[in-house]
Amino acid sequence: MAKKPTRKEKIALQQQDIEEETQEKPVKVKVRQEPDTQRSLRRTLAFIVAALAFILYANTLGHQWALDDYSLIKENTQTKSGNIKEILSSTYRTGYFNPDYQLYRPLSKVFFAYEWSFSENDPKPGHFMNIFMYALTGFLLFYMLSLYLKGDLLISFLVSSLFIAHPIHTEVGANIKSHDEILCFLFFVVTAIFTYKFLVSDRVVLNSRAGIFKKLSASKPANLVLAGLSFFLCLLSKESGITFLAVIPLMIWFFTDEKSAKNITATLCLAGVAAIFFMIRAHVLNEARGGSNIVGETAKIDNMMSGLGIAKRFPTAILIMGMYLKTFFFPHPLVSDKSFREIEVVDFGDKWFLLSFLAYAALTAYAVMRFRKKDPIAFGIIYFFITASVASNIVMVIGTNYGERLMYAPSFGFCLAIGVLIAKYLRPVEVGNKVALLGDFFKKYSKAIAVLAVIFVLYSFKTVTRNVDWYDNLTLYEKDIRTAPLSARTHFYLGNYMSQDDFLKENAKDSVTKNMYLDSALSELRRSTKIYPEFGDAWQQIGKIYLNKKDFKTAAENYEKAIAINPKTPIYHNNYGNVLFSVGRYDDARREFSLAVECNPGYSDAYGNLGAVYGTLGENFAKQGKQQEAAQNFQLAIVNYQKVTELEPDKSMPYYFISITYKSLGNEAEAQRYMGLYNNLKQQGK
């Protein structure tokens, strides 16, 4: 007979049974995806942001070329040739008469080339792509925020809506050249999305017995590869994308709970991509400089802080950063240029420097104090500091002292902070399930949406009306000259544009009107040189006007002033050569044209002018009976004209000049062949 358990043993057995009952047993794990209704709402809100972005800039679809559109598209032989291989291996403005040796942004130039091939000399494809990419940025920005903010659709909607509406973006949205800005930020957003997908899975594990939810980490190497590719495209769009290398690890730390090891892995991958890009960039720039590492100092007309000591440069840079901060809150007036002397150089005692410095000191203090708490506003401030650093002129002097386009990417930090503040004070207490319908979303968050609507309407009004100013160069310059009357470059822009041959051909129907425009242009250019006497571009354009007026003596005097200021500028030598050619000084003209192509081996106009000089010399020798000298000069003329056809294969006139030069040499077969090429292009209107 079994022995009955004692009272103590019974208690122990009961305790064991309880533990066995409460112990969690293995159960099947099932994956619950985000509800379809929630995904549908997120997609709908993203489309709303994109649609609003497109509507805001729809009035730019009929705009013309403006500002840097000329140097990078309309007057850029490389862009118009469509040679993608050359674009990928060249500096940014290669193909223009005045190339640069510091910028490498091939991706936007590839876009320009395709847009030009789609419809030559038509800005509509470029403007459409600008708006489309801007709208796509709004869509993906909302999606990125919804990931990093753990599905907070309210803040995601507030921030992305503020971003696409902010008027400081009008230069980017309305100017085709700003493909570089849009693409750079767009691919940063894509990089952030794929980095998140590499680090964090949005799947949720449900334990059906215990009712416990856990995140399931599922790193996918393919997402890291896509993040690296996106970051490479970001850098190919604009070099300042390197700042995002510091931003993305901060985003991961602020907005996810992933382990540091995974963050480091992602960061090292992006750093490796950046290293590859900068090696390619260094090679391209080195080739463009002919192996020389010497880069000329930024001209004061481009950046007033060039050459300043730290005692002047630092407070002036902080003052300008304060101007940007003011424009974030109150975006009026907007202007395309604030060059020398629209902004005065200041020292540490200036009141506006002190005010700007205190504002940034306060932002810094807040970011430091709230950093460990992972406050999204603190992230927004740090993000702004990082992305604005390369444009601040504090770290280094860049090619301009002020530009609203430079604040395109940094403005996201401002919009994030404002969106978080609105949600913080106007979000209702969350009760029950997440909203799944669009109507419920706007109803539940009606107060926050109402505040957003007020800001959005004000921003939109300013954006749409400012877009009108960007219709073309004349409209923009006439507007901005009133906003920035002390800017030497703004006066130059207006005078230069009104004195261009294309402008005069289109707008001056008779000699009286032509002289009226030329006199107005002279007035603006002289105003420019009065503000900044060392402005070589202004002096050379004054010389061009006098050349147009057939006042060769005065034209020569102004070109000589320009060359004395900037002796390595190819257009100065080319245009001075035109003056010398006009007065029959052919040997001197040849010298100037040769200097022009020496300064810029891709300068097609200068090669064409050299061809004209050699052709004229050949004719003169032929008249003197010196057939050998005539033949030598005719051959040199052909060589230079053929160089033009290499740089601009669709330009008809060089083929005509080659034809008549071959005829002068007695080569009828080649003369007829080139005349045929000329006629074919002429029939196409080229």
Side-chain angles (χ1 to χ4, degrees):
M1 187 174 178
K3 181 181 177 182
K4 291 183 178 181
T6 64
R7 178 179 175 80
K8 188 175 181 180
E9 289 173 337
K10 284 182 178 181
I11 293 173
L13 288 171
Q14 289 174 355
Q15 183 66 33
Q16 184 178 346
D17 290 340
I18 292 171
E19 288 177 356
E20 289 176 354
E21 285 294 325
T22 57
Q23 185 176 6
E24 182 179 333
K25 295 181 179 180
V27 296
K28 288 184 178 180
V29 174
K30 59 182 181 180
V31 176
R32 188 184 74 178
Q33 299 289 343
E34 181 184 29
D36 289 340
T37 53
Q38 194 70 22
R39 286 205 306 273
S40 177
L41 175 60
R42 180 164 69 173
R43 188 164 53 245
T44 301
L45 290 171
F47 272 117
I48 289 174
V49 173
L52 290 172
F54 198 95
I55 291 169
L56 281 171
Y57 286 91
N59 65 335
T60 66
L61 284 171
H63 281 19
Q64 303 303 307
W65 313 102
L67 273 182
D68 289 342
D69 292 348
Y70 283 83
S71 62
L72 288 165
I73 309 169
K74 186 174 172 61
E75 296 177 357
N76 191 291
T77 58
Q78 187 183 73
T79 298
K80 293 189 289 186
S81 74
N83 191 322
I84 305 303
K85 184 178 179 180
E86 283 188 5
I87 290 173
L88 293 174
S89 59
S90 305
T91 58
Y92 195 36
R93 281 188 170 80
T94 296
Y96 188 55
F97 67 80
N98 192 21
D100 69 82
Y101 301 108
Q102 300 183 56
L103 302 178
Y104 178 62
R105 302 174 185 175
L107 187 58
S108 56
K109 206 168 176 184
V110 168
F111 272 75
F112 298 149
Y114 277 115
E115 290 157 10
W116 183 272
S117 67
F118 181 79
S119 183
E120 289 186 5
N121 204 27
D122 183 2
K124 287 185 180 63
H127 282 298
F128 176 81
M129 280 304 300
N130 233 32
I131 302 170
F132 174 77
M133 292 189 297
Y134 190 74
L136 181 61
T137 299
F139 183 95
L140 293 176
L141 181 61
F142 174 88
Y143 178 69
M144 180 198 80
L145 287 166
S146 70
L147 292 177
Y148 281 89
L149 297 175
K150 299 178 175 63
D152 191 327
L153 300 187
L154 175 61
I155 295 181
S156 302
F157 186 70
L158 292 172
V159 175
S160 53
S161 298
L162 289 170
F163 182 83
I164 60 103
H166 204 294
I168 205 170
H169 298 167
T170 50
E171 179 174 351
V172 170
N175 189 207
I176 300 172
K177 174 268 171 190
S178 291
H179 277 17
D180 56 355
E181 303 285 353
I182 296 177
L183 285 167
C184 181
F185 186 75
L186 174 61
F187 281 114
F188 151 65
V189 173
V190 174
T191 302
I193 290 171
F194 281 119
T195 302
Y196 182 92
K197 288 182 176 292
F198 165 72
L199 294 169
V200 182
S201 171
D202 58 1
R203 296 181 297 170
V204 178
V205 174
L206 169 65
N207 185 312
S208 59
R209 177 170 180 174
I212 297 173
F213 294 84
K214 297 179 181 178
K215 281 188 177 178
L216 178 64
S217 178
S219 296
K220 297 179 181 178
N223 286 322
L224 186 57
V225 172
L226 291 171
L229 176 61
S230 299
F231 190 53
F232 187 65
L233 294 174
C234 170
L235 294 169
L236 287 175
S237 303
K238 191 178 181 186
E239 301 93 332
S240 59
I242 190 62
T243 58
F244 297 126
L245 184 60
V247 167
I248 289 177
L250 275 175
M251 291 176 67
I252 297 168
W253 186 84
F254 264 90
F255 301 112
T256 75
D257 300 318
E258 294 307 307
K259 296 178 181 178
S260 298
K262 295 176 74 176
N263 193 343
I264 293 171
T265 299
T267 304
L268 288 175
C269 173
L270 299 182
V273 168
I276 293 171
F277 165 77
F278 279 100
M279 284 191 291
I280 295 172
R281 178 180 181 272
H283 173 73
V284 171
L285 297 186
N286 186 58
E287 288 290 312
R289 296 167 187 158
S292 172
N293 293 320
I294 299 174
V295 180
E297 184 177 291
T298 301
K300 193 173 287 293
I301 188 62
D302 295 322
N303 190 329
M304 54 188 277
M305 287 174 277
S306 178
L308 293 180
I310 191 67
K312 294 286 187 180
R313 180 162 68 90
F314 180 79
T316 304
I318 294 295
L319 167 68
I320 293 173
M321 291 302 294
M323 293 167 62
Y324 288 137
L325 193 60
K326 169 262 174 188
T327 306
F328 283 153
F329 285 99
F330 187 70
H332 178 82
L334 298 174
V335 67
S336 62
D337 181 85
K338 282 190 177 182
S339 62
F340 190 92
R341 302 180 41 141
E342 183 63 28
I343 302 172
E344 292 291 341
V345 173
V346 299
D347 55 28
F348 286 102
D350 181 78
K351 64 178 181 180
W352 296 113
F353 153 71
L354 293 172
L355 183 61
S356 300
F357 182 81
L358 289 174
Y360 279 107
L363 291 173
T364 303
Y366 181 93
V368 170
M369 290 188 294
R370 301 290 296 175
F371 183 82
R372 289 189 173 276
K373 295 184 180 296
K374 298 188 176 183
D375 183 347
I377 296 176
F379 170 80
I381 294 170
I382 297 170
Y383 167 91
F384 170 76
F385 285 157
I386 292 173
T387 54
S389 62
V390 292
S392 67
N393 284 295
I394 296 172
V395 179
M396 60 183 177
V397 175
I398 61 172
T400 184
N401 55 268
Y402 181 92
E404 289 161 5
R405 67 189 179 281
L406 303 177
M407 291 296 109
Y408 175 65
S411 66
F412 169 65
F414 169 81
C415 296
L416 177 64
I418 298 300
V420 169
L421 283 172
I422 293 173
K424 179 179 179 180
Y425 291 105
L426 297 177
R427 184 201 298 270
V429 177
E430 301 283 357
V431 179
N433 297 327
K434 295 180 179 179
V435 289
L437 299 175
L438 184 64
D440 293 339
F441 176 83
F442 285 112
K443 183 178 180 180
K444 181 175 182 179
Y445 303 123
S446 58
K447 291 182 179 179
I449 298 298
V451 172
L452 171 66
V454 172
I455 299 173
F456 192 92
V457 168
L458 293 172
Y459 277 3
S460 298
F461 177 79
K462 182 62 182 177
T463 294
V464 172
T465 54
R466 176 58 179 168
N467 285 346
V468 175
D469 298 338
W470 281 89
Y471 174 74
D472 63 7
N473 272 343
L474 185 63
T475 308
L476 180 67
Y477 301 153
E478 287 183 335
K479 173 67 177 179
D480 285 1
I481 210 167
R482 295 193 291 271
T483 305
L486 296 178
S487 171
R489 190 171 286 283
T490 305
H491 288 282
F492 165 75
Y493 282 152
L494 182 57
N496 179 64
Y497 186 68
M498 288 193 297
S499 57
Q500 293 297 318
D501 294 337
D502 288 345
F503 175 83
L504 294 170
K505 183 178 179 181
E506 182 178 348
N507 296 278
K509 305 303 180 184
D510 52 56
S511 59
V512 174
T513 308
K514 179 179 178 180
N515 285 326
M516 180 191 72
Y517 277 122
L518 290 175
D519 289 341
S520 296
L522 274 175
S523 176
E524 295 299 333
L525 292 166
R526 286 179 178 137
R527 173 65 175 158
S528 180
T529 58
K530 186 175 181 181
I531 295 171
Y532 184 58
E534 297 299 303
F535 198 173
D537 286 355
W539 288 117
Q540 83 87 21
Q541 195 61 25
I542 292 172
K544 186 177 180 181
I545 291 175
Y546 280 109
L547 174 60
N548 208 320
K549 288 174 170 284
K550 309 298 183 184
D551 185 345
F552 301 118
K553 181 176 182 296
T554 308
E557 290 172 355
N558 282 278
Y559 280 123
E560 287 164 2
K561 285 182 182 178
I563 292 171
I565 294 169
N566 295 315
K568 294 294 184 181
T569 305
I571 192 174
Y572 299 177
H573 293 288
N574 181 71
N575 289 354
Y576 185 36
N578 285 330
V579 175
L580 298 172
F581 184 87
S582 298
V583 296
R585 293 169 58 184
Y586 301 121
D587 287 333
D588 291 334
R590 180 177 55 187
R591 181 197 66 231
E592 294 301 322
F593 294 140
S594 298
L595 285 170
V597 296
E598 183 181 317
C599 294
N600 178 10
Y603 195 177
S604 64
D605 284 356
Y607 283 112
N609 288 331
L610 269 173
V613 169
Y614 284 118
T616 302
L617 289 173
E619 290 173 358
N620 290 342
F621 281 122
K623 290 176 182 178
Q624 298 169 24
K626 299 178 179 179
Q627 298 305 321
Q628 184 176 354
E629 290 87 342
Q632 289 174 348
N633 279 277
F634 285 141
Q635 290 290 353
L636 289 170
I638 290 171
V639 168
N640 282 281
Y641 284 133
Q642 286 177 334
K643 186 66 177 179
V644 180
T645 64
E646 292 173 14
L647 294 167
E648 296 188 85
D650 291 339
K651 198 171 183 177
S652 62
M653 288 309 295
Y655 296 96
Y656 174 80
F657 291 128
I658 293 174
S659 174
I660 62 172
T661 307
Y662 269 121
K663 192 169 185 177
S664 297
L665 284 168
N667 190 335
E668 288 294 334
E670 285 297 284
Q672 289 181 13
R673 184 168 76 87
Y674 277 94
M675 186 59 72
L677 293 172
Y678 163 74
N679 288 328
N680 288 336
L681 289 170
K682 195 69 175 176
Q683 288 174 3
Q684 300 173 38
K686 296 177 180 178

